[in-house]
Amino acid sequence: MLLKNGRIIENGNLVQKDVLISGDKIAKIEKDIKNVNVKMFDLNGKLVIPGAVDVHVHLREPGFSEKETYLTGTSAAVKGGVTTLMAMPNTNPVPDSKDVLLMIHEKYVSQALAKVFLYGAVTMGQKGKSLANFREMKPYIKALTDDGICISDLGLLKEAMYEAKKEDLIICSHAEAKEYGLGAESEVRAVERELNLVAETGCKYHFCHLSTSEAVDLVRLSKTSKLDVTCEVAPHHIFLCQNNMQYNPNFKMSPALRSHGDMRRTLQGLISGVIDMLATDHAPHTEKEKSLPMDKAPNGVIGLETLIPLAYTGLVRTGKLTFEKMMDVLTFNAAKRFNLPHGKVEVGGLADLAVLDIDALHVYTYDEILSKGKNSPFIGTEMFGMNKLTTLNGNVVFNEI
Ligand code: DOR
Ligand code: ZN
Ligand code: ZN
């Protein structure tokens, strides 16, 4: 297939180039590729980038297909230009054994439109009582997490860290010590105590969805003291804060929206590189659940379809990040940390690509959402850089050109 008249990033500049894809790889990148007898897409100046790698997605299946399915979740992913994702384990059954992992793996291979990799649970049933068998799960997972639940038994967490270290697996933490409430302090205290255990055990560690300035400071310090720690931030925590909070469950998630200062400092953490990657925490719920009163509605917001345009609009258009750095936080840093396949816009690069319309202003609407969950706080938000075409292994999996 030939992507004609698009643009790519070359040494920091946008340059017009044609991209020829052959099989699952990019075969040629040149100014004007002619006389090739293949399917052609006229990109008309759109930007070709590697598809995003999102390490934090709640796909909901098995067990909660009323919220999302492998098909609807990955349809939302490829619409948004996300080509690889990691699926969270708060499903039913919980992937805490080889058998459950094999069952889930089989389902997504036949039903998913994007590349899906799995987390294994840290504790059996995510109950925080006894450890799952990491060695048995290792061939089928990319990392371990009990996301949604913070492991509060620090003895057990320490044991998990030693076990994970033996298997060379990363533990990913939803750091929220509920004994300190649901405010900023709950995150800061959890990150603090977990970093102490990481220092003691030498385990590879990753913090999910950091939302507070002090937690970012703690991670910065841990990196300077050479702990093997990485972290992510969600778009809603760098682009929204309590001041944007509406009395609407689409603004309710865990961790919650924080202060304006926290928003600015987490954004700064991403810009400075202390925060390694953007990840959506895509957490679909049914409209029925999300129309309950604020205090009854479940936590979570969707994010797959707005990840890239929010990043482009809020980070690159505003001059906060270069295109290269945007691709680092959307794709390369996550792929490197979790050893995931990803596209690359160069000859020989894997053709897992997204094609963005960076010139057109788009207003994100309820009607366009492909996820089963419609719970986005960004409905009505203006954004540039919507994805228009997605290729996976050189095949078109989303096309709105
Ligand atoms: O907002 C959230 N939603 N935070 C979590 O930790 C869990 C997630 C979910 O599964 O809905
Ligand atoms: Zn979480
Ligand atoms: Zn989550």
Side-chain angles (χ1 to χ4, degrees):
M1 127 179 56
L2 179 62
L3 305 179
K4 190 112 190 100
N5 304 324
R7 286 183 286 179
I8 65 168
I9 313 294
E10 233 175 41
N11 307 318
N13 299 312
L14 284 171
V15 289
Q16 193 180 325
K17 287 280 166 82
D18 294 347
V19 176
L20 180 69
I21 298 169
S22 170
D24 65 350
K25 301 254 167 36
I26 293 179
K28 225 187 230 186
I29 301 179
E30 278 170 22
K31 254 253 112 44
D32 190 10
I33 301 177
K34 283 202 190 88
N35 303 326
V36 279
N37 202 5
V38 292
K39 186 162 174 54
M40 196 262 281
F41 294 89
D42 186 354
L43 301 192
N44 194 14
K46 293 184 185 65
L47 180 68
V48 183
I49 63 165
V53 173
D54 185 355
V55 301
H56 198 135
V57 177
H58 295 272
L59 273 188
R60 301 302 190 203
E61 269 196 306
F64 302 97
S65 55
E66 72 283 6
K67 295 178 196 272
E68 193 80 290
T69 66
Y70 299 112
L71 181 64
T72 59
T74 56
S75 298
V78 296
K79 172 175 183 273
V82 174
T83 46
T84 293
L85 63 87
M86 281 169 64
M88 281 296 170
N90 55 344
T91 53
N92 185 15
V94 168
D96 56 10
S97 69
K98 174 183 169 183
D99 289 349
V100 178
L101 284 161
L102 277 174
M103 182 270 282
I104 298 177
H105 180 82
E106 207 168 281
K107 291 242 164 79
Y108 84 68
V109 164
S110 62
Q111 297 172 32
L113 299 179
K115 292 177 183 172
V116 177
F117 293 87
L118 303 179
Y119 281 99
V122 178
T123 65
M124 290 306 289
Q126 286 198 292
K127 290 192 193 314
K129 295 277 188 271
S130 61
L131 296 187
N133 185 334
F134 300 171
R135 177 163 299 176
E136 175 191 298
M137 295 193 293
K138 185 179 172 176
Y140 312 99
I141 61 177
K142 286 292 180 186
L144 295 160
T145 190
D146 269 1
D147 182 56
I149 297 149
C150 183
I151 300 172
S152 56
D153 178 342
L154 299 184
L156 187 68
L157 182 57
K158 187 154 119 183
E159 206 185 308
M161 289 188 189
Y162 278 124
E163 282 303 306
K165 190 181 176 184
K166 264 194 229 157
E167 303 304 328
D168 196 29
L169 283 165
I170 303 168
I171 294 181
C172 302
S173 162
H174 174 122
E176 192 176 34
K178 295 267 168 56
E179 52 277 38
Y180 297 93
L182 296 176
E185 185 167 12
S186 67
E187 177 172 288
V188 181
R189 293 285 164 244
V191 168
E192 189 173 42
R193 73 192 188 189
E194 289 173 22
L195 281 174
N196 288 335
L197 294 178
V198 173
E200 192 179 333
T201 61
C203 168
K204 291 185 183 178
Y205 217 66
H206 176 85
F207 289 103
C208 305
H209 45 51
L210 286 186
S211 63
T212 61
S213 108
E214 278 174 276
V216 176
D217 288 342
L218 289 169
V219 170
R220 181 184 300 108
L221 276 175
S222 79
K223 286 185 167 187
T224 49
S225 60
K226 298 279 182 282
L227 299 188
D228 194 347
V229 170
T230 50
C231 63
E232 70 192 38
V233 70
H236 47 269
H237 288 127
I238 55 171
F239 297 129
L240 297 174
C241 68
Q242 282 159 359
N243 304 348
N244 308 102
M245 186 80 189
Q246 295 175 20
Y247 196 75
N248 170 346
N250 290 355
F251 288 76
K252 184 181 177 189
M253 74 294 281
S254 161
L257 295 181
R258 304 293 188 203
S259 69
H260 191 257
D262 284 320
M263 177 184 75
R264 290 193 56 96
R265 296 282 295 280
T266 47
L267 174 61
Q268 196 49 46
L270 185 71
I271 293 167
S272 71
V274 173
I275 297 179
D276 301 88
M277 60 195 80
L278 271 168
T280 59
D281 199 2
H282 177 85
H285 292 289
T286 64
E287 291 188 77
K288 193 163 168 219
E289 291 165 312
K290 278 297 199 179
S291 50
L292 289 167
M294 205 60 173
D295 57 326
K296 300 258 174 5
N299 282 313
V301 296
I302 59 167
L304 286 167
E305 297 169 56
T306 48
L307 169 67
I308 290 180
L310 287 174
Y312 171 68
T313 308
L315 301 173
V316 177
R317 263 187 104 87
T318 52
K320 294 186 171 78
L321 284 189
T322 62
F323 276 110
E324 270 92 351
K325 285 267 191 277
M326 177 184 83
M327 294 189 266
D328 284 345
V329 299
L330 283 176
T331 304
F332 298 127
N333 293 350
K336 184 161 178 226
R337 178 60 162 168
F338 294 98
N339 187 26
L340 298 163
H342 62 88
K344 203 162 192 195
V345 185
E346 63 179 34
V347 173
L350 183 63
D352 286 4
L353 305 172
V355 175
L356 315 184
D357 188 343
I358 56 175
D359 297 318
L361 179 65
H362 179 78
V363 179
Y364 185 58
T365 64
Y366 172 98
D367 289 336
E368 75 183 84
I369 298 176
L370 293 186
S371 169
K372 261 198 191 184
K374 310 299 174 190
N375 46 310
S376 168
F378 294 108
I379 291 171
T381 301
E382 294 184 336
M383 48 191 92
F384 292 88
M386 292 304 284
N387 176 55
K388 296 290 171 188
L389 181 82
T390 309
T391 66
L392 197 75
N393 296 328
N395 299 311
V396 174
V397 285
F398 174 77
N399 177 14
E400 233 177 41
I401 279 193

